[in-house]
């Protein structure tokens, strides 16, 4: 059982809908991440939060809006998406941004289809 | 230039045999970390093994070992005694610097199929 839980696992939404992806980590980590995985493309880092503060926004369109209310929870709010936004969205966490030996632990991902 | 290159889009291996998945990386940092992840069809990315740039010994974790050749900038994953459950996508990744997961790069992956 993964220490990072994502819901929903599958989501189909229309281009005018508003939906949210939720991520919760049970590992006591301080940093959380959103990644996008599209077909035939490497994973793309979208957002990084460290101690609830956003430290990275990797030129992500504003139709994706992250929210990190505390170190254990991370949301990705979705609004007026495009079909090309269909992808697997992976949440991840790590102990922090300052430990050389640690790694990132991923959730099972949320499969998003925009129709 | 790509930070992580995985040149094998797909690989087949017979059950119980060993297989090597290739990974080369590109960085000018002296301090970096190399990772391998496994992604089954369910989507979860599972951490397998880590190698630090200053580690002199090759990392090993059970049936996984990382063949680290620093001068060649390669970090190949070796899976010994393949099992059917090893069939999955495998991603090589690199963190540049010692302290920052903001600079964390993934390769395009290798799809491994283990044949019975």
């Amino acid at each position: 059982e993964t220490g990072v839980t994502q819901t929903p696992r599958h989501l189909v939404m229309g281009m005018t809908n508003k939906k949210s992806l939720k991520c919760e980590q049970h590992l006591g980590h301080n940093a959380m991440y959103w990644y996008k995985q599209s077909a035939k493309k490497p994973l793309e880092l979208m957002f990084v939060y460290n101690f609830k503060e956003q430290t990275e926004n990797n030129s992500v369109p504003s139709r994706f809006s992250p929210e990190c209310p505390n170190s254990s929870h991370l949301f990705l709010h979705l609004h007026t998406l495009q079909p090309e936004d269909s992808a697997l969205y992976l949440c991840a966490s790590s102990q922090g941004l300052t430990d050389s030996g640690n790694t990132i632990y991923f959730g099972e991902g949320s499969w998003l289809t925009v129709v | 230039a790509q930070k992580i290159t995985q040149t094998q889009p797909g690989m087949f291996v017979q059950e119980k045999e060993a297989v090597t998945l290739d990974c080369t990386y590109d960085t000018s940092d002296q301090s970096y970390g190399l990772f391998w992840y496994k992604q089954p069809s369910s989507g979860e990315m599972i951490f397998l093994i880590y190698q630090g740039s200053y580690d002199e010994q090759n990392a090993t974790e059970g049936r996984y070992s990382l063949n680290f050749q620093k001068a060649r900038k390669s970090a190949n994953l070796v899976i010994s005694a393949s099992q059917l459950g090893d069939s999955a996508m495998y991603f090589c990744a690199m963190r540049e610097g010692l302290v920052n997961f903001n600079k964390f790069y993934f390769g395009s992956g290798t799809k491994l199929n283990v044949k019975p």
Side-chain angles (χ1 to χ4, degrees):
Chain A
E1 182 182 320
T2 177
V4 181
T5 305
Q6 289 187 240
T7 55
R9 293 295 320 282
H10 299 270
L11 177 62
V12 179
M13 60 184 290
M15 289 189 284
T16 58
N17 290 160
K18 288 184 182 181
K19 297 285 184 182
S20 296
L21 305 180
K22 178 183 175 182
C23 177
E24 182 176 1
Q25 58 95 0
H26 313 277
L27 301 169
H29 290 165
N30 304 317
M32 296 187 76
Y33 313 78
W34 280 116
Y35 280 85
K36 176 184 178 182
Q37 186 177 21
S38 306
K40 301 180 181 179
K41 289 177 71 174
L43 268 74
E44 302 170 66
L45 177 64
M46 300 175 72
F47 301 104
V48 180
Y49 278 82
N50 191 36
F51 287 100
K52 302 189 301 178
E53 298 299 320
Q54 188 179 122
T55 59
E56 184 85 8
N57 176 341
N58 209 15
S59 302
V60 181
S62 59
R63 58 185 183 270
F64 295 92
S65 174
E67 178 190 0
C68 188
N70 54 61
S71 293
S72 300
H73 294 86
L74 185 64
F75 295 89
L76 187 62
H77 303 300
L78 315 170
H79 177 49
T80 59
L81 296 191
Q82 304 297 312
E84 59 264 29
D85 295 323
S86 299
L88 175 66
Y89 289 84
L90 288 159
C91 175
S93 71
S94 67
Q95 183 59 44
L97 299 182
T98 59
D99 184 344
S100 64
N102 70 31
T103 188
I104 287 183
Y105 294 91
F106 286 85
E108 292 180 306
S110 295
W111 294 92
L112 173 66
T113 303
V114 182
V115 297
Chain B
Q2 277 190 319
K3 290 288 186 180
I4 296 286
T5 302
Q6 294 180 252
T7 57
Q8 305 153 314
M11 292 276 289
F12 285 90
V13 65
Q14 201 70 38
E15 192 178 9
K16 299 181 184 178
E17 292 185 350
V19 63
T20 297
L21 306 183
D22 295 340
C23 173
T24 56
Y25 59 92
D26 180 30
T27 182
S28 56
D29 283 14
Q30 296 300 308
S31 302
Y32 51 89
L34 298 159
F35 303 79
W36 277 92
Y37 288 86
K38 171 185 178 182
Q39 187 179 42
S41 56
S42 61
E44 181 188 0
M45 295 281 276
I46 302 167
F47 166 68
L48 295 178
I49 196 166
Y50 165 81
Q51 179 88 38
S53 59
Y54 295 117
D55 295 340
E56 295 183 352
Q57 302 269 4
N58 285 345
T60 60
E61 288 287 347
R63 294 186 299 110
Y64 304 107
S65 61
L66 199 152
N67 185 0
F68 180 44
Q69 298 190 37
K70 197 169 182 176
R72 294 185 179 183
K73 293 189 175 179
S74 75
N76 298 340
L77 177 70
V78 180
I79 306 175
S80 62
S82 298
Q83 302 172 356
L84 295 178
D86 293 335
S87 293
M89 284 289 289
Y90 288 81
F91 291 92
C92 180
M94 175 179 68
R95 181 199 64 233
E96 282 189 319
L98 278 176
V99 298
N100 199 340
F101 272 114
N102 290 12
K103 295 182 178 179
F104 199 71
Y105 307 98
F106 283 83
S108 53
T110 295
K111 186 172 176 60
L112 178 66
N113 283 291
V114 180
K115 298 185 291 184

